[in-house]
Amino acid sequence: MGTTSVRRGVLAAAAVSLCLMAAACDSGSPGAGPAGGGGVRAEAAPGGAAKPAAALTRMLVAQADLPEYMVEEEFRKVDPERKAETDKAVCEPLVRAQANMPVGAVGGTAAVAVLGKVAPPAADASEDEKLDALRQSAGRTGTTVFLDSYAGKGAEEAFAAVKKAVAACAGGYTAFGGPKSVKVEQVLPVTQDPAGDESLACRLVLGMGDGRKINMQFVFVRKGDVLATFEVLSVLGDAPQPPKAVVEAQSRKLG
């Protein structure tokens, strides 16, 4: 099974959430929620130039940095016309993170996906053993790493907006998109070892409306004019573990 197919299986449980988030962030959807804006300036801040995507790509963690994981290329398209609609304006940075959108105006962006390795079944494995290995492979937690560069103090402003959102949105919020919506029931702070110039982590608990819950964990690390966002999705609905090794490796490459 190829890495792309494996990753799709790993992130299957998040598909519903992300589809809803895509609708919630559709700038053309009628009847969207009442609030927008999250305290981050829409235009790039003046000052030093942001790093281009090519430079950020060279700064991403690679297979050689994480030999115990599978690292594969990931793509991220930034649409400046796309909006994040929510009933609480201060929560917009978290809505954007859910929808794989950068916080504020970025000069460059790059991404990579990281998966834990699972040993393949032995050649003489029974059908039950092969099925169990397949379950383990599909049940892995995946981490997506996004690097965004900003002009001037843009990265500092983006991180400050995320930090404010984590504190202000603890009781949850709703993201809207036409007739669809996503309810985030809780935003929980998560202990995070210091990294970069400043860092924080949080976990979002999403209610799917049928009693199921999806957990999304984010780690944000700012180093200079670059903001790294680590997105961790739990396939089985339980709380994902912080991607400590991935965060540490990526932080080292940021300098």
Side-chain angles (χ1 to χ4, degrees), residues 12-59:
V16 174
S17 169
L18 296 182
C19 284
L20 289 174
M21 289 312 306
C25 298
D26 184 355
S27 60
S29 298
V40 180
R41 289 184 291 186
E43 70 279 3
K51 293 179 176 63
L56 291 177
T57 299
R58 292 191 294 270
M59 297 170 69

Side-chain angles (χ1 to χ4, degrees), residues 26-106:
D26 184 355
S27 60
S29 298
V40 180
R41 289 184 291 186
E43 70 279 3
K51 293 179 176 63
L56 291 177
T57 299
R58 292 191 294 270
M59 297 170 69
L60 279 167
V61 286
Q63 189 64 67
D65 304 309
L66 293 165
E68 69 275 28
Y69 290 84
M70 289 194 334
V71 180
E72 66 174 56
E73 188 177 10
E74 181 64 19
F75 297 96
R76 185 192 207 184
K77 181 179 179 181
V78 177
D79 181 357
E81 299 301 318
R82 209 170 163 204
K83 297 179 181 177
E85 304 283 355
T86 172
D87 60 341
K88 297 180 181 178
V90 70
C91 303
E92 183 191 340
L94 296 178
V95 177
R96 298 183 71 85
Q98 284 176 261
N100 294 340
M101 298 167 64
V103 179
V106 298

Side-chain angles (χ1 to χ4, degrees), residues 69-162:
Y69 290 84
M70 289 194 334
V71 180
E72 66 174 56
E73 188 177 10
E74 181 64 19
F75 297 96
R76 185 192 207 184
K77 181 179 179 181
V78 177
D79 181 357
E81 299 301 318
R82 209 170 163 204
K83 297 179 181 177
E85 304 283 355
T86 172
D87 60 341
K88 297 180 181 178
V90 70
C91 303
E92 183 191 340
L94 296 178
V95 177
R96 298 183 71 85
Q98 284 176 261
N100 294 340
M101 298 167 64
V103 179
V106 298
T109 188
V112 71
V114 182
L115 291 171
K117 290 183 178 179
V118 174
D124 59 348
S126 67
E127 289 302 316
D128 285 343
E129 290 172 332
K130 291 179 181 178
L131 182 58
D132 184 60
L134 182 61
R135 289 196 187 105
Q136 290 184 47
S137 178
R140 285 176 292 170
T141 296
T143 301
T144 307
V145 183
F146 300 101
L147 297 185
D148 294 306
S149 65
Y150 295 80
K153 294 185 178 297
E156 295 177 48
E157 294 173 355
F159 185 89
V162 170

